[in-house]
């Protein structure tokens, strides 16, 4: 009996093990199926989420820092190659995939400046425009540093300003001003604010007032930038003596658009009524705010780069409001405050020329001060020539002023082309103007005929001046009076004539007008180095081939009365 039970137990044990194994396998199978179904569900869900992210329904997953750096490098490359559309997509992707606080202030600034540049290029054609502006605005608002907040809004205001959106620019710069004031209230003891914000706000108010208050027929267009600020108005001396209180832009002479960017209407009624009507245009809160902000920027302490930048628009705005006395006072202050810059002296010289032309000494001293700071500006030299260049043989002072200032200007003008003296080629913008050479030659001729003893002895008596002229002779000979280029030109011209060319003009390397410049330079050279100087001889030879009798006569007249300045200085 016992054996039977044991046998039965032994028989059922393998069957139980087999059943458990089957159940285990089935369970593992079901688990695998369930896991596969779950993975499929997760994959489908991920695909759906990715699709929704691409459609903008869900936020994009955040990038790792290294991914952001790579995208920023890619953005720089795209911008450098002017791939504006692709760069716009990179900016949009960066902002969508960067939670607030993950982008540094430097990275935000880079994105902001890139966005501004892209909008300039693409305008509203780019779909990213509004979304990028919104997201970037959120970043700016949530920045921890108020100073960064103010800087970003100031840059945004400058961007709107550059696009002509003055009302939007006004709103942004006001926000920037409030953010800056909140952060720097204790430091701003004078209550003048940040000079850069004052400059920006002042310029925005200037443009807003000009756009909204000035009638269309009085506004300066692009084609009107150079020239007088008025049409012929029929003002006579009787108008100037009418007893009107205070100076006015209507009574000025030669006022150009750099000082007064407006076209004044012809006056068909009483001058006092015209002036009063015009001054009413400046009876405006925006105008007053612009003047005040530009003044605050100009007189900021210590002076910043924005201070000097505010001078010219402030003078323009004051003159546009017919506040001539205020503009003159600001220019006087600026000449003392910015004595390191030529700009205030040049502006004051033009201002006095227009409103007080009889104050010749003031005009001359301003132009001289400007030239001593910036000798490359030809308009300053031309202003001096206009005052002193009447070739009055009795005015020895004028000759001395021109003999000091014109050479100073020529010293600073270094032609960059190999064919020195040719106009319209490689040396454009660096060549001395023909009128300046002509005036210098006329000064030398006047000295030779009337003042040779007195002026030469005065120059030669000063050791520093004498040393300066000795250096100048060598410098000019190398940079302005190189006979090698003229010799090659003359050789080409002679060969053309010998060959019997029917059109020698086309073979000559000189351009129309160059022969006039050449004659004036050669006239100066003959006074400096003598009439037998190689440059003078070759220049005369070339002019003879050109056949311009007026220029030949001009040069020969100077050769007959040559000063030979170099020989006189060298003997001392």
């Amino acid at each position: 009996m016992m054996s039977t039970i044991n046998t039965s137990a032994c028989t059922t044990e393998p069957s139980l093990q087999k059943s458990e194994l089957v159940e285990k396998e089935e369970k593992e199978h079901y688990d695998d199926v369930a896991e596969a179904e779950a993975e499929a569900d997760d994959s489908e869900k991920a695909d759906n989420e990715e699709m929704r992210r691409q459609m903008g329904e869900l936020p994009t997953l955040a990038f790792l820092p290294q991914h952001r750096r790579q995208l920023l490098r890619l953005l720089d490359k795209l911008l450098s190659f002017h791939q504006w559309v692709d760069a716009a997509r990179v900016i949009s992707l960066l902002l969508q995939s960067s939670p607030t606080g993950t982008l540094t202030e430097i990275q935000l600034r880079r994105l902001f400046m890139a966005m501004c540049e892209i909008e300039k290029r693409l305008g509203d054609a780019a779909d990213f425009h509004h979304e990028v502006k919104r997201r970037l605005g959120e970043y700016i608002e949530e920045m921890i540093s108020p100073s960064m907040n103010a800087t970003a809004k100031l840059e945004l205001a400058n961007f709107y300003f550059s696009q002509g959106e003055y009302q939007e620019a006004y709103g942004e710069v006001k926000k920037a001003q409030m953010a800056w004031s909140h952060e720097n209230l204790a430091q701003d003891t004078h209550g003048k604010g940040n000079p850069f914000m004052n400059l920006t706000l002042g310029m925005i108010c200037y443009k807003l007032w000009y756009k909204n208050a000035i009638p269309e027929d009085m506004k300066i267009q692009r084609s009107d930038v150079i020239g007088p600020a008025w049409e012929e108005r029929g003002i006579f001396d009787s108008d100037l003596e009418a007893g009107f209180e205070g100076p006015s832009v209507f009574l000025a002479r030669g006022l150009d658009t750099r000082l007064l960017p407006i076209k004044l209407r012809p006056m068909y009624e009483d001058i006092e009524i015209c002036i009063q009507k015009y001054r009413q245009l400046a009876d405006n809160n925006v105008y007053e705010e612009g003047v005040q902000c530009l003044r605050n920027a100009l007189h900021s302490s210590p002076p910043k780069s924005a201070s000097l930048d505010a001078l010219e628009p402030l003078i323009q705005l004051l003159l546009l409001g017919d506040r001539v006395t205020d503009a003159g006072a600001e220019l006087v202050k600026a000449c003392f405050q910015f004595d390191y810059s030529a700009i205030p002296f040049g502006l004051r010289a033009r201002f006095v020329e227009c409103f007080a032309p009889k104050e010749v000494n003031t005009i001359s001293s301003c132009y001289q001060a400007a030239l001593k700071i910036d000798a490359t500006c030809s308009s300053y030299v031309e202003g001096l020539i206009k005052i002193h260049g009447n070739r009055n043989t009795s005015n020895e002072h004028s000759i001395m002023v021109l003999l000091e200032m014109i050479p100073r200007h020529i010293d600073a003008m270094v032609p960059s082309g190999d064919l020195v003296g040719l106009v319209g080629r490689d040396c454009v913008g660096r060549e001395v103007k023909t009128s300046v050479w002509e005036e210098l030659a006329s000064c030398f001729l006047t000295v030779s005929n009337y003042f040779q003893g007195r002026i030469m002895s005065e120059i030669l008596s000063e050791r520093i001046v004498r040393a300066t002229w000795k250096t100048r002779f060598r410098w000019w000979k190398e940079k302005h009076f190189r006979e090698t280029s003229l010799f090659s030109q003359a050789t080409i011209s002679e060969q053309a004539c010998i060959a019997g060319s029917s059109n020698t003009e086309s073979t000559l390397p000189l351009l129309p007008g160059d022969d006039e410049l050449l004659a004036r330079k050669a006239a100066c050279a003959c006074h400096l180095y003598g009439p037998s100087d190689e440059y003078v001889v070759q220049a005369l030879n070339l002019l003879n081939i050109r056949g311009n009798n007026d220029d030949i006569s001009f040069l020969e007249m100077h050769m007959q009365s040559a000063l030979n300045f170099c020989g006189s200085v060298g003997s001392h």
Side-chain angles (χ1 to χ4, degrees), residues 96 154 216 234 237 441 463:
Q96 291 176 14
L154 181 62
E216 288 297 326
D237 291 338
R463 181 178 61 84

Side-chain angles (χ1 to χ4, degrees), residues 428-484:
V428 169
R430 300 298 296 165
E431 179 57 76
V432 181
K433 289 187 175 181
T434 302
S435 59
V436 176
W437 285 116
E438 181 176 3
E439 187 60 38
L440 181 60
S442 297
C443 287
F444 284 140
L445 185 63
T446 302
V447 170
S448 177
N449 291 334
Y450 301 99
F451 301 119
Q452 184 167 357
R454 293 198 300 274
I455 290 182
M456 291 300 293
S457 62
E458 185 174 345
I459 292 176
L460 298 177
S461 63
E462 298 185 23
R463 181 178 61 84
I464 296 178
V465 176
R466 188 168 65 248
T468 300
W469 273 104
K470 286 182 177 180
T471 304
R472 185 172 284 150
F473 292 144
R474 296 192 298 269
W475 175 254
W476 286 11
K477 190 67 175 173
E478 174 65 24
K479 297 300 179 183
H480 296 288
F481 302 115
R482 275 195 281 181
E483 65 275 2
T484 53

Side-chain angles (χ1 to χ4, degrees), residues 80-190:
S80 65
F81 286 105
H82 295 180
Q83 301 295 322
W84 310 116
V85 176
D86 292 336
R89 292 170 181 160
V90 171
I91 293 177
S92 181
L93 183 61
L94 270 167
L95 290 177
Q96 291 176 14
S97 306
S98 301
T100 304
T102 56
L103 288 171
T104 65
E105 293 185 359
I106 296 176
Q107 290 172 339
L108 275 174
R109 180 182 175 84
R110 289 170 65 186
L111 289 180
F112 174 79
M113 299 308 295
M115 186 199 74
C116 292
E117 184 64 26
I118 291 170
E119 185 169 338
K120 287 181 185 178
R121 305 288 181 170
L122 300 181
D124 293 331
D127 295 334
F128 85 104
H129 168 71
H130 297 293
E131 179 65 17
V132 167
K133 184 181 291 186
R134 182 184 67 81
R135 289 184 178 275
L136 202 56
E138 292 175 357
Y139 271 103
I140 293 173
E141 293 293 341
E142 295 180 15
M143 290 302 299
I144 298 176
S145 169
S147 61
M148 176 60 188
N149 194 329
T151 301
K153 290 186 180 299
L154 181 62
E155 289 177 347
L156 187 57
N158 279 312
F159 170 70
Y160 283 136
F161 180 81
S162 68
Q163 299 299 294
E165 300 175 7
Y166 303 129
Q167 199 62 53
E168 291 82 355
Y170 183 84
E172 291 298 331
V173 77
K174 278 292 189 180
K175 294 177 184 177
Q177 199 174 44
M178 291 178 61
W180 186 89
S181 299
H182 179 74
E183 179 70 12
N184 300 273
L185 185 61
Q187 291 81 1
D188 188 20
T189 55
H190 300 287

Side-chain angles (χ1 to χ4, degrees), residues 228-464:
W230 62 86
E231 301 173 5
E232 185 60 40
R233 302 192 309 277
I235 295 181
F236 302 100
D237 291 338
S238 58
D239 296 322
L240 302 179
E241 298 170 1
F244 186 79
E245 292 293 331
S248 172
V249 294
F250 281 84
L251 307 179
R253 292 290 187 270
L255 193 59
D256 56 40
T257 53
R258 185 183 179 188
L259 289 174
L260 184 67
I262 199 174
K263 293 186 292 184
L264 296 177
R265 291 169 174 167
M267 292 193 301
Y268 300 114
E269 53 187 344
D270 183 76
I271 183 173
E272 186 170 353
I273 296 176
C274 289
I275 293 176
Q276 291 293 353
K277 285 183 178 180
Y278 176 74
R279 288 180 176 177
Q280 289 176 2
L281 297 175
D283 188 11
N284 185 289
N285 292 334
V286 177
Y287 175 88
E288 295 293 344
E289 185 177 12
V291 169
Q292 187 58 50
C293 288
L294 289 173
R295 272 191 172 135
N296 288 341
L298 179 65
H299 299 298
S300 60
S301 181
K304 306 288 185 181
S305 59
S307 304
L308 185 58
D309 292 339
L311 176 61
E312 187 169 329
L314 175 59
I315 299 303
Q316 289 179 353
L317 198 54
L318 289 171
L319 292 180
L320 284 169
D322 205 22
R323 300 183 180 182
V324 177
T325 303
D326 291 346
E330 292 292 350
L331 284 171
V332 172
K333 293 178 188 176
C335 289
F336 288 99
Q337 183 178 356
F338 306 103
D339 55 357
Y340 55 85
S341 172
I343 294 175
F345 294 100
L347 287 175
R348 189 183 178 208
R350 287 292 300 120
F351 179 87
V352 178
E353 277 183 322
C354 297
F355 292 99
K358 294 182 180 179
E359 295 185 16
V360 177
N361 291 335
T362 301
I363 300 170
S364 177
S365 62
C366 286
Y367 276 131
Q368 290 182 60
L371 269 173
K372 289 177 182 179
I373 299 170
D374 180 13
T376 63
C377 185
S378 59
S379 64
Y380 301 152
V381 182
E382 291 170 338
L384 276 178
I385 292 175
K386 182 179 177 181
I387 299 171
H388 298 288
N390 55 6
R391 301 179 184 83
N392 187 349
T393 56
S394 63
N395 194 343
E396 185 175 340
H397 172 71
S398 293
I399 299 296
M400 290 298 296
V401 169
L402 293 176
L403 282 179
E404 178 186 359
M405 292 298 152
I406 292 179
R408 185 188 292 268
H409 171 65
I410 297 175
D411 289 343
M413 304 296 281
V414 183
S416 57
D418 292 331
L419 299 178
V420 178
L422 300 186
V423 178
R425 300 188 183 177
D426 294 339
C427 50
V428 169
R430 300 298 296 165
E431 179 57 76
V432 181
K433 289 187 175 181
T434 302
S435 59
V436 176
W437 285 116
E438 181 176 3
E439 187 60 38
L440 181 60
S442 297
C443 287
F444 284 140
L445 185 63
T446 302
V447 170
S448 177
N449 291 334
Y450 301 99
F451 301 119
Q452 184 167 357
R454 293 198 300 274
I455 290 182
M456 291 300 293
S457 62
E458 185 174 345
I459 292 176
L460 298 177
S461 63
E462 298 185 23
R463 181 178 61 84
I464 296 178

